Amino acid sequence: QVQLVESGGGLVQAGGSLRLSCAASGRSFSNYAMAWFRQAPGKEREFVAALSWSGGTTFYADSVKGRFTISRDNAKNTVYLQMNSLKPEDTAVYYCAAGPYVLTTDNYNYWGQGTQVTVSS
């Protein structure tokens, strides 16, 4: 079992930056691929970024490529999402997810509760 808790969300102006964190507890965090998804009001949840257990393989949605960076610190059982050049369309609840395979679909085993990110224009 893995429990995930996101933090770092908030209100930011367009063009600003935020760093989200996802703290994991439970067994074998370093064995899991990790990902971030987001869900805007009235929209389906969508993939944002993912990385392998080693951090050596990463995937990004086209909409965030070049602006967002996913990383992990296995010693701290934490995965991060650095978000730069934020746009109003990035406004959403951001979710952290963990699973045995690095995927761009939402077939992950464990999910956090989410953290709200609001970007004002």
Side-chain angles (χ1 to χ4, degrees), residues 35-95:
W36 289 94
F37 288 78
R38 66 187 182 186
Q39 187 167 21
K43 295 187 177 181
E44 294 188 353
R45 185 166 58 190
E46 66 174 1
F47 168 76
V48 175
L51 82 170
S52 59
W53 66 270
S54 67
T57 300
T58 57
F59 296 100
Y60 293 93
D62 288 343
S63 59
V64 307
K65 207 170 289 184
R67 300 187 297 122
F68 291 11
T69 303
I70 188 172
S71 62
R72 68 190 298 162
D73 185 339
N74 287 340
K76 295 183 178 180
N77 283 9
T78 302
V79 64
Y80 305 97
L81 184 68
Q82 178 66 44
M83 306 186 295
N84 299 328
S85 302
L86 283 161
K87 304 175 181 180
E89 51 264 43
D90 295 318
T91 295
V93 177
Y94 283 71
Y95 297 92

Side-chain angles (χ1 to χ4, degrees), residues 16-37:
S17 298
L18 281 176
R19 188 176 80 156
L20 304 184
S21 299
C22 173
S25 59
R27 293 185 176 183
S28 304
F29 168 80
S30 60
N31 291 343
Y32 286 96
M34 301 296 296
W36 289 94
F37 288 78

